[in-house]
Amino acid sequence: MSDKKESPEVTRIRHTRNFGVIAHIDAGKTTFSERVLYITGKSHKIGEVHDGGATMDYMQEERDRGITITSAATSCDWGKYKMSLIDTPGHVDFTVEVERSLRVLDGAVGVFCAVAGVQPQSETVWRQGNRYKVPRIAFVNKMDRTGADFYKAVESMKTRLNANAVPVVMPIGKEKNFVGLVDLIEMKACIWADNDAREMTVSDIPDDLKDEAQKQREIMIEAVAECHDDVLEKFIEGEEVTNDEIKMAIRKGTLDLKVTPVFCGSAFKDKGVQNVLDAIIDYLPSPLDVPPIEGVNPETAENVTYELSSDQPFASLVFKTISDPNGDLTFIRIYSGEMKQGEKYFNGRTRRYERVGRLMRMHAMQREPIDVAKAGDIVAVVGVKEAITGDTLSTRDNPVVYEAMSFPDTVISMSIEPQSAGDRDKLSAIIGKLVREDPTFKAVTDEQTGQMVISGMGELHLEVKCNTIKNDHKIGVIVGRPKVAYKMTLKGPKTVEARHIKQSGGSGQFAVARVNFSVQEDVEYCEFVDSIKGGSVPREYIPAVGNGITSAVKGGGRMGFPFCKVVAELYDGQSHDVDSSVMAFEAAGVLAFRMASEGNSQLLEPIMKIEVEAPEEKTGDVIGDLSSRRGLVEEMITKPGGISYVTGKVPLSEMFQYSTMLRSLTQGRGTYSMEPSTYEAVPPNIAEKVLEDLSKD
């Protein structure tokens, strides 16, 4: 349909792109985002990560460390298209920022290092993209680096991500001789000047590259042809496929999650970013290309789906909150209707109204006030008091609740207390705000000691939170040593008969539950199975048994750690006409699990997937050190330039202060990344030590 036949509303939405930039740490994600802002005219100077000048890394902590900690939103124009961009962190400790951003974005650009290819956090963010069915394009960055290999990076995407990575460009030169690329669709060479990101020369392909370019073009057409029936037919018949038809096939394949178009360049050297901007327009979806999100009416429990239109009832999802001295910010994706400044909206979780004091578009932490936001927009509001990540805001007349987000369990904790007793209440209030902001940051007060314990995704995660408390809120704190978030599981299957029978005058309590317990790896905590036959346990009491078992599983055993991987099958039992009750059968469930776990439990510890980058001559020292930490080295690859990549698995408990040790081992030249992999049994001698340490605490 042409623009002339469309309503202004449809044209506006069709010319909108909401996308995120995702990557492993140090792949060049923020540098890429800064070039986008410069090339589109949003920024008049290029912000650099290495000198703390990146616009999108607005927190002082980010600038000091040279890494992205929190996702930052901005908007810019590319031709007649309006883009909303979210730059996400690459460090695994802040994976929640990627999770909640992908939940509301329509597309994403995955940035990969041309030397390292796919790295551990690359895999994590890619899986997150798969979970939310987000169409993606890929940018192989750092083509000017020693050891850069475009095609190896593409191959690693195919093998490690299981992605149908299809190059649509071909590099011209490599490493220090990288000067540009060949556009395999237009069959033109794109060459960049070294001094200006906006200076690109389009010319004929150099003679020595024409044959290879034609070969790569044919590979590309063959890979995308099956995504579109008309293109496939022409390809099979040997007919010429036009450039527009190739683009049409790539777009359909990308939107259907069957193809990932791959580009290349050097963001730092201002090469290749323009091509990606064009690809965002050509291949990533507008909000119109994304199926309407389905929700539930909290009053009637009926499914509700609103079309993407400002004429529909208002519905939106809160995906991020930030505490700010100038007014707490709540970030919202609008799926239908309009949001107006000063209006009240219904929170389906709290069943209360939230008033929008101010409405604005964000450029990192710079605010552009607006009066109204419409379907398809991503905006921030000030004035919302109770909404948290995952809440739905709608109207009272047409309420809806969208599926909330789920986040991983914390893996590390430490005690925290103020240096001054007078700051105790103030510290509790600040931590409460941080918990509201970050669903992967937890805080509890130990009932026995009265000590506050904070939990997070890693050492860096908790260190950043503590620095925020000290530097932004001016509260001195004392923190304890980090502790690992262990779990428990059963050693093996066990069948029990739990008899909860009490007589204390008046009505008694009677419940008998016979339960088969077993272990299943893919069960997060507990799976309850009802296998009752013949009514030995009345139907109304069966859920109570499951509730009792589940509460006991999550409550933990004598070591205080929650159990996991537990399957509980209720296969028989007994009841009493007078003395049985829901409460009695719930107590029987608790007792059943205690009986099953007594003498039949084992400690589990979080195992991390690790990748270490180090000079080749230091590889032996790195491997030896990992082995001493109970680590298992799975692969070691040496790439051009004398850099080795060591991958493996290692217990989290052995990795505290590892960054300091790695710097020492490699004379400051080594880097590493970790991400949670699984939970495994702790060796008996280690388990005894953990129990001993707990008794001291």
Side-chain angles (χ1 to χ4, degrees):
M1 187 181 291
S2 68
D3 289 359
K4 293 181 181 179
K5 296 180 182 179
E6 290 179 340
S7 70
E9 168 78 354
V10 171
T11 300
R12 177 189 68 81
I13 298 175
R14 189 167 59 83
H15 286 171
T16 297
R17 295 291 185 274
N18 297 318
F19 72 97
V21 186
I22 58 176
H24 183 89
I25 190 171
D26 289 335
K29 169 184 49 54
T30 298
T31 301
F32 171 85
S33 298
E34 295 291 330
R35 266 47 182 191
V36 167
L37 297 181
Y38 178 70
I39 293 168
T40 60
K42 186 71 178 185
S43 297
H44 300 295
K45 69 179 184 72
I46 299 176
E48 303 291 7
V49 176
H50 63 271
D51 62 10
T55 304
M56 303 300 280
D57 287 346
Y58 59 86
M59 294 173 60
Q60 190 59 48
E61 193 83 9
E62 294 177 310
R63 297 183 173 186
D64 291 344
R65 296 178 182 273
I67 63 171
T68 302
I69 291 172
T70 185
S71 55
T74 189
S75 59
C76 56
D77 296 329
W78 187 238
K80 59 186 178 182
Y81 289 82
K82 175 70 72 176
M83 293 182 171
S84 291
L85 181 161
I86 296 181
D87 178 30
T88 66
H91 196 287
V92 67
D93 282 17
F94 311 105
T95 190
V96 64
E97 296 287 336
V98 184
E99 186 84 23
R100 57 186 175 186
S101 297
L102 288 175
R103 175 69 166 79
V104 299
L105 291 170
D106 301 323
V109 177
V111 179
F112 299 87
C113 174
V115 180
V118 173
Q119 297 169 277
Q121 186 64 4
S122 309
E123 296 182 65
T124 300
V125 299
W126 205 261
R127 286 196 301 270
Q128 291 170 311
N130 290 341
R131 181 160 57 252
Y132 293 114
K133 296 181 171 56
V134 177
R136 283 145 285 175
I137 60 178
F139 177 63
V140 178
N141 191 27
K142 303 186 179 183
M143 286 295 300
D144 57 315
R145 286 266 306 271
T146 301
D149 191 318
F150 175 65
Y151 294 107
K152 279 191 177 179
V154 172
E155 189 60 31
S156 72
M157 293 173 62
K158 294 178 180 179
T159 56
R160 296 183 63 172
L161 304 179
N162 197 30
N164 185 16
V166 179
V168 294
V169 300
M170 183 182 84
I172 299 177
K174 62 187 295 186
E175 300 178 342
K176 66 180 181 180
N177 296 317
F178 174 73
V179 296
L181 52 86
V182 174
D183 183 332
L184 296 176
I185 299 175
E186 301 295 337
M187 291 299 280
K188 293 289 185 179
C190 303
I191 309 295
W192 281 270
D194 287 331
N195 59 348
D196 194 332
R198 302 178 188 180
E199 287 188 16
M200 181 180 73
T201 302
V202 179
S203 61
D204 292 334
I205 301 171
D207 290 341
D208 61 332
L209 295 177
K210 285 183 178 178
D211 289 345
E212 180 63 22
Q214 187 59 43
K215 174 186 171 184
Q216 294 298 328
R217 175 182 167 90
E218 290 171 1
I219 292 172
M220 174 190 67
I221 294 173
E222 183 177 2
V224 304
E226 63 183 31
C227 298
H228 197 286
D229 292 342
D230 294 344
V231 176
L232 180 60
E233 185 177 345
K234 291 185 74 171
F235 178 76
I236 292 174
E237 296 296 328
E239 299 178 27
E240 183 69 22
V241 182
T242 68
N243 293 353
D244 287 344
E245 289 170 332
I246 295 171
K247 286 185 176 181
M248 183 171 59
I250 294 173
R251 177 173 181 80
K252 190 174 186 306
T254 304
L255 298 186
D256 292 343
L257 306 178
K258 294 179 178 179
V259 166
T260 302
V262 186
F263 297 80
C264 70
S266 169
F268 184 66
K269 294 293 182 64
D270 310 326
K271 298 171 182 173
V273 178
Q274 297 96 320
N275 302 74
V276 180
L277 282 168
D278 290 337
I280 290 168
I281 303 303
D282 291 339
Y283 307 132
L284 290 186
S286 77
L288 291 171
D289 297 312
V290 180
I293 186 171
E294 187 176 273
V296 175
N297 185 316
E299 308 289 345
T300 65
E302 295 177 346
N303 291 339
V304 178
T305 301
Y306 296 135
E307 296 297 322
L308 184 77
S309 169
S310 298
D311 297 329
Q312 290 279 298
F314 174 76
S316 67
L317 186 73
V318 174
F319 68 94
K320 180 173 179 169
T321 60
I322 297 178
S323 297
D324 189 81
N326 299 317
D328 291 354
L329 288 171
T330 302
F331 289 79
I332 293 173
R333 165 68 190 263
I334 301 175
Y335 287 103
S336 63
E338 295 182 346
M339 173 175 271
K340 296 179 180 179
Q341 183 172 285
E343 295 289 328
K344 292 181 179 179
Y345 299 96
F346 183 68
N347 187 327
R349 178 183 62 85
T350 65
R351 321 282 288 187
R352 297 179 183 175
Y353 283 102
E354 300 272 12
R355 183 180 179 276
V356 175
R358 285 178 287 161
L359 186 60
M360 60 200 75
R361 299 190 190 280
M362 300 298 296
H363 177 48
M365 285 305 284
Q366 298 174 21
R367 310 177 182 191
E368 175 192 341
I370 56 177
D371 296 324
V372 61
K374 299 183 178 183
D377 287 345
I378 293 176
V379 294
V381 302
V382 175
V384 172
K385 302 296 185 183
E386 297 183 12
I388 60 174
T389 297
D391 281 357
T392 304
L393 299 183
S394 59
T395 62
R396 191 65 183 87
D397 294 339
N398 296 280
V400 64
V401 174
Y402 293 131
E403 183 181 358
M405 305 178 206
S406 60
F407 302 102
D409 292 333
T410 58
V411 296
I412 188 173
S413 63
M414 62 173 59
S415 62
I416 185 170
E417 58 183 292
Q419 289 179 344
S420 170
D423 285 336
R424 189 169 300 278
D425 290 345
K426 188 177 177 183
L427 176 62
S428 295
I430 296 302
I431 288 178
K433 284 189 175 184
L434 295 176
V435 168
R436 179 171 173 260
E437 285 183 9
D438 185 350
T440 60
F441 180 63
K442 309 291 185 185
V444 297
T445 300
D446 190 291
E447 294 182 357
Q448 295 181 339
T449 64
Q451 195 174 49
M452 181 171 287
V453 177
I454 55 175
S455 304
M457 301 307 299
E459 277 189 286
L460 180 60
H461 188 199
L462 295 184
E463 186 180 330
V464 167
K465 296 299 183 186
C466 291
N467 285 346
T468 298
I469 294 169
K470 289 187 288 188
N471 299 330
D472 294 357
H473 300 282
K474 311 303 179 185
I475 301 176
V477 294
I478 302 169
V479 298
R481 58 187 178 89
K483 296 180 181 179
V484 170
Y486 293 97
K487 291 183 180 181
M488 305 283 290
T489 193
L490 302 177
K491 289 182 180 178
K494 193 170 182 178
T495 299
V496 302
E497 179 183 88
R499 302 176 66 85
H500 180 74
I501 302 173
K502 291 186 178 181
Q503 295 292 335
S504 55
S507 59
Q509 296 182 42
F510 186 99
V512 178
R514 299 183 179 97
V515 187
N516 288 324
F517 287 91
S518 59
V519 179
Q520 189 170 313
E521 287 296 322
D522 60 351
V523 174
E524 184 176 6
Y525 287 105
C526 177
E527 180 181 318
F528 178 68
V529 180
D530 171 17
S531 294
I532 291 293
K533 302 270 193 317
S536 57
V537 177
R539 304 309 303 174
E540 63 266 29
Y541 298 144
I542 292 174
V545 180
N547 292 338
I549 293 173
T550 301
S551 67
V553 165
K554 292 186 175 182
R558 65 189 181 98
M559 298 176 74
F561 301 119
F563 277 72
C564 62
K565 307 179 183 181
V566 175
V567 178
E569 179 196 12
L570 177 65
Y571 69 93
D572 197 7
Q574 291 177 249
S575 65
H576 189 277
D577 291 341
V578 177
D579 294 340
S580 289
S581 64
V582 169
M583 185 174 66
F585 272 94
E586 190 166 319
V590 172
L591 177 61
F593 181 72
R594 288 175 180 170
M595 295 171 66
S597 60
E598 189 67 33
N600 186 40
S601 57
Q602 61 180 345
L603 188 66
L604 303 178
E605 62 182 341
I607 303 297
M608 311 299 288
K609 188 175 185 178
I610 187 171
E611 180 172 283
V612 182
E613 178 182 339
E616 184 179 4
E617 65 270 19
K618 301 294 182 181
T619 305
D621 294 336
V622 169
I623 291 175
D625 181 67
L626 287 175
S627 297
S628 72
R629 298 171 184 269
R630 298 193 284 129
L632 175 64
V633 174
E634 296 178 327
E635 188 178 32
M636 194 277 288
I637 301 173
T638 300
K639 297 191 175 183
I643 300 296
S644 292
Y645 294 85
V646 179
T647 59
K649 292 181 178 177
V650 62
L652 176 61
S653 61
E654 303 285 350
M655 297 302 289
F656 295 138
Q657 302 299 317
Y658 181 68
S659 57
T660 303
M661 176 59 71
L662 183 62
R663 284 196 296 270
S664 175
L665 284 176
T666 62
Q667 297 175 327
R669 296 156 62 195
T671 62
Y672 81 103
S673 63
M674 292 195 305
E675 64 168 343
S677 174
T678 186
Y679 272 80
E680 294 182 1
V682 179
N685 60 318
I686 304 293
E688 289 177 10
K689 179 78 166 49
V690 172
L691 185 59
E692 184 182 325
D693 290 343
L694 277 176
S695 63
K696 292 179 182 177
D697 294 338

